[in-house]
Amino acid sequence: QQSIGVWMSVAACLSYGIGTVYARSHLQKVSGMTLLTAQLSIAAVILLPFAWFIDRPYSLAFPSYESILGVVGLALFGTAIG
């Protein structure tokens, strides 16, 4: 099982390198923020089914309100305001 992880890491590095070369040659007129948004959105759509079926978040208990407020506080003060 360790070899699968190693090969997946190698494939990710190759994909990252090929994507960089492709973006520099074909997407020069697109802003960096647009490329970043598209990349993260597509990655989320691709990974969402895996997270849904492997991690089974629907089987977990609902988090407490203190936990939710803590995450919202970190999002507001650590990212949005800070």
Side-chain angles (χ1 to χ4, degrees), residues 14-37:
L14 287 173
S15 175
Y16 189 73
I18 291 169
T20 302
V21 171
Y22 179 82
R24 283 188 182 165
S25 62
H26 290 78
L27 303 172
Q28 294 176 350
K29 296 180 182 178
V30 181
S31 73
M33 188 62 73
T34 303
L35 288 174
L36 177 65
T37 303

Side-chain angles (χ1 to χ4, degrees), residues 1 3 8-11 27 29 31 33 35-37 40 43 49 53 58-59 68-69 76-77 81:
Q1 288 197 3
S3 63
M8 291 179 79
S9 296
V10 170
L27 303 172
K29 296 180 182 178
S31 73
M33 188 62 73
L35 288 174
L36 177 65
T37 303
L40 292 177
F53 291 113
Y58 48 84
S59 66
I68 294 172
L69 287 175
L76 287 176
F77 295 114
I81 296 173

Side-chain angles (χ1 to χ4, degrees), residues 1-2 10 15 25 33 42 44 47 50 60 63 66 74 78:
Q1 288 197 3
Q2 289 180 350
V10 170
S15 175
S25 62
M33 188 62 73
I42 292 169
L47 291 175
F50 293 106
L60 298 175
E66 291 86 8
L74 285 173

